[in-house]
Amino acid sequence: MSTRLGFTGDVMLGRLVDESQRRRPVAAVWGDVLDRLRALDGLFVNLECCLSTGGRPWRRTERAFHFRADPEWAVPALERAGVDCCALANNHVLDFEVPALEDTLSHLEDAGIARAGAGRTRTDAFAPATLTVADLDVAFVSLTDNTPEYAATETSPGTARVEFDVDDEEGRAAVEGALERARARDPDLLVASLHWGPNMVETPPDSFRAFARWLVDEGVDVVHGHSAHVFQGVEVYRGRPVLYDTGDFVDDYAVDERLRNDRSFLFEVRLSRTGTPVELRLHPTEIEGCAVHEAGEEAAAWSRERLRARSAPFETTFERAGRGLVVDLDA
């Protein structure tokens, strides 16, 4: 049997999602996708909010949005879905200042949910998460190029922030350091989770393509991208899946009727017994009522068509699998 790992785009549990969850069962936010999530051996998400009722909105610089969720329901919801690890390197983890970030770290630690990408110091923020999934050792690095003011220093909490440019020596050195710490654990699988680039962009820039390939050359087995709020193309480079952007998984955002940021996929990577990625399966999803659901026929067809088109520049070809798609990484 292969090991099955799930990767999602942004999981934003604040604002209207938070309000809705106060009136419904704790697992309602996962809709009819819950059983599929729980059937996975491991689940990795970008947590796009704080887990706290404390702190105060960030006012040191201009911020249009501030996201936080009540940990009384949000932590049990993450547990019910079987979330194993959260990427925290993003542009919302400090939305309610340091006390809410501290709460987030503590709540995840208490729940036994691994995290990477933000921490109490820069060293902590860049530290890889390490966890065991179905007898395989996984190392998980989380990085972002968003929101410079949220970057951690050696004396202040924040995010693992870098520039995703192979020609940027300082940024490349920081990533090399994080990867070296991850490889020192001798993991069976190394994941780099990247919150990169601007919103509502359908195509990654050439600099991100070069950086993703460099990461694979450095030993990364899965590149897990997010930030654009819409899914981007998939590349298979040296047999490794590069998910340039996994879009939005659950949130309360306004929907762009052309880009349909309410539609994406659960990205399922299947591994060999030794931890080598051998297959990528994409299960279409859509957001409705502040919850994620299995995509209906029309939405699934739309997403399949768009993913094929957005992946064409990478010469990635898909086979149909139910309402979703599958890619053989050994081909």
Side-chain angles (χ1 to χ4, degrees):
M1 288 290 291
S2 61
T3 300
R4 300 163 56 209
L5 304 184
F7 296 87
T8 81
D10 294 354
V11 171
M12 199 293 286
L13 304 177
R15 294 196 315 192
L16 296 179
V17 181
D18 187 57
E19 291 182 20
S20 298
Q21 282 295 114
R22 297 169 191 267
R23 304 187 300 272
R24 61 190 188 185
V26 69
V29 68
W30 310 119
D32 61 0
V33 183
L34 180 63
D35 288 345
R36 190 182 296 278
L37 298 177
R38 291 181 60 82
L40 296 165
D41 295 297
L43 180 57
F44 300 79
V45 308
N46 174 54
L47 184 63
E48 188 84 338
C49 62
C50 315
L51 302 176
S52 179
T53 56
R56 56 185 176 81
W58 178 281
R59 299 294 186 218
R60 289 185 251 173
T61 53
E62 182 68 25
R63 295 287 295 162
F65 305 109
H66 301 85
F67 301 152
R68 67 177 172 182
D70 187 340
E72 186 172 340
W73 73 263
V75 174
L78 295 172
E79 294 175 314
R80 285 287 298 276
V83 173
D84 292 279
C85 187
C86 293
L88 299 182
N90 57 54
N91 56 316
H92 289 289
V93 76
L94 262 171
D95 279 359
F96 284 81
E97 285 279 1
V98 170
L101 170 58
E102 290 276 6
D103 286 348
T104 303
L105 301 177
S106 296
H107 287 303
L108 293 175
E109 290 163 3
D110 291 346
I113 299 173
R115 52 85 179 171
R120 297 175 176 91
T121 65
R122 188 175 189 276
T123 299
D124 186 25
F126 277 88
T130 55
L131 58 156
T132 300
V133 178
D135 297 325
L136 294 175
D137 293 326
V138 179
F140 182 90
V141 173
S142 172
L143 308 162
T144 186
D145 64 355
N146 286 193
T147 322
E149 58 267 39
Y150 281 12
T153 71
E154 287 308 336
T155 57
S156 64
T159 61
R161 187 187 180 280
V162 298
E163 293 294 335
F164 294 115
D165 185 340
V166 292
D167 294 325
D168 184 87
E169 294 185 7
E170 182 178 355
R172 194 176 67 245
V175 178
E176 286 174 339
L179 295 179
E180 183 177 356
R181 292 168 69 182
R183 288 193 301 265
R185 314 290 179 90
D186 193 26
D188 298 303
L189 186 83
L190 175 54
V191 178
S193 190
L194 314 177
H195 201 70
W196 55 356
N199 295 345
M200 312 308 279
V201 174
E202 299 168 83
T203 305
D206 289 344
S207 60
F208 286 9
R209 295 181 63 176
F211 201 89
R213 292 179 175 189
W214 175 77
L215 286 172
V216 174
D217 291 339
E218 290 291 310
V220 169
D221 296 298
V222 179
V223 177
H224 172 217
H226 33 86
S227 180
H229 298 307
V230 295
F231 61 82
Q232 296 177 352
V234 170
E235 181 175 14
V236 180
Y237 175 66
R238 296 180 55 187
R240 300 302 190 257
V242 178
L243 317 176
Y244 279 103
D245 204 292
T246 47
D248 288 345
F249 196 63
V250 63
D251 56 49
D252 69 347
Y253 304 154
V255 176
D256 184 295
E257 291 300 324
R258 183 180 71 85
L259 296 176
R260 295 311 302 250
N261 49 298
D262 57 335
R263 295 174 177 173
S264 188
F265 299 87
L266 169 64
F267 295 77
E268 179 187 329
V269 178
R270 298 194 175 189
L271 311 175
S272 71
R273 291 183 178 180
T274 59
T276 301
V278 294
E279 185 181 78
L280 172 65
R281 286 184 172 263
L282 301 107
H283 307 285
T285 60
E286 57 184 333
I287 302 166
E288 185 177 355
C290 294
V292 60
H293 302 277
E294 301 273 3
E297 290 283 2
E298 184 273 332
W302 185 96
S303 293
R304 289 194 304 270
E305 178 186 347
R306 295 309 187 280
L307 188 67
R308 289 182 191 273
R310 293 170 188 175
S311 302
F314 310 119
E315 300 183 350
T316 306
T317 57
F318 303 89
E319 297 294 330
R320 178 79 178 270
R323 291 189 181 181
L325 298 168
V326 62
V327 182
D328 184 356
L329 302 175
D330 281 337

